[in-house]
Amino acid sequence: GVVYPLEEQTFRRLQAISAQLTSTLYHSAGLNPSLFRRERPALNSPHRRPGPGHVLDADLLNHFPQMEISEQYKMSKAIGSTRDQVMDNLRELASSLSPSSLI
């Protein structure tokens, strides 16, 4: 995994798209990606990891550009944004990460 800082507004937009994708996409074997990332208490550990609400899943976000454009518009509108803004955020994130991470 990679830790990369994002502006608050960008993070919130991508987090909202992630939530939409989680509830919209078919998950292999019924495995929900948000449940997979649920924080589990570590035994005897003073350190806390950020919970799933503070981490974006690049693999999940990679599904957005692959969807039909009409679905992209619909999903973007549902979170109060535009498709172009979401795509710009994904491109920005992809250019900051390794070339094979996103899009």
Side-chain angles (χ1 to χ4, degrees), residues 20-100:
Q20 290 284 318
L21 289 167
T22 298
S23 64
T24 303
L25 295 176
Y26 171 78
H27 303 294
S28 300
L31 300 174
N32 185 320
S34 63
L35 292 177
F36 173 73
R37 285 168 184 74
R38 180 178 289 165
E39 184 176 1
R40 294 167 196 88
L43 298 175
N44 302 323
S45 175
H47 305 289
R48 288 185 47 95
R49 297 178 305 171
H54 302 289
V55 177
L56 296 174
D57 181 352
D59 290 334
L60 182 62
L61 288 170
N62 193 37
H63 287 280
F64 185 81
Q66 299 170 12
M67 297 173 67
E68 291 184 23
I69 291 178
S70 61
E71 288 296 314
Q72 293 175 6
Y73 278 109
K74 183 177 170 184
M75 195 173 286
S76 298
K77 185 177 179 180
I79 66 162
S81 188
T82 65
R83 175 191 176 271
D84 293 337
Q85 186 62 58
V86 173
M87 291 299 290
D88 286 345
N89 290 154
L90 290 172
R91 283 187 205 101
E92 175 188 343
L93 184 60
S95 68
S96 303
L97 301 173
S98 65
S100 63

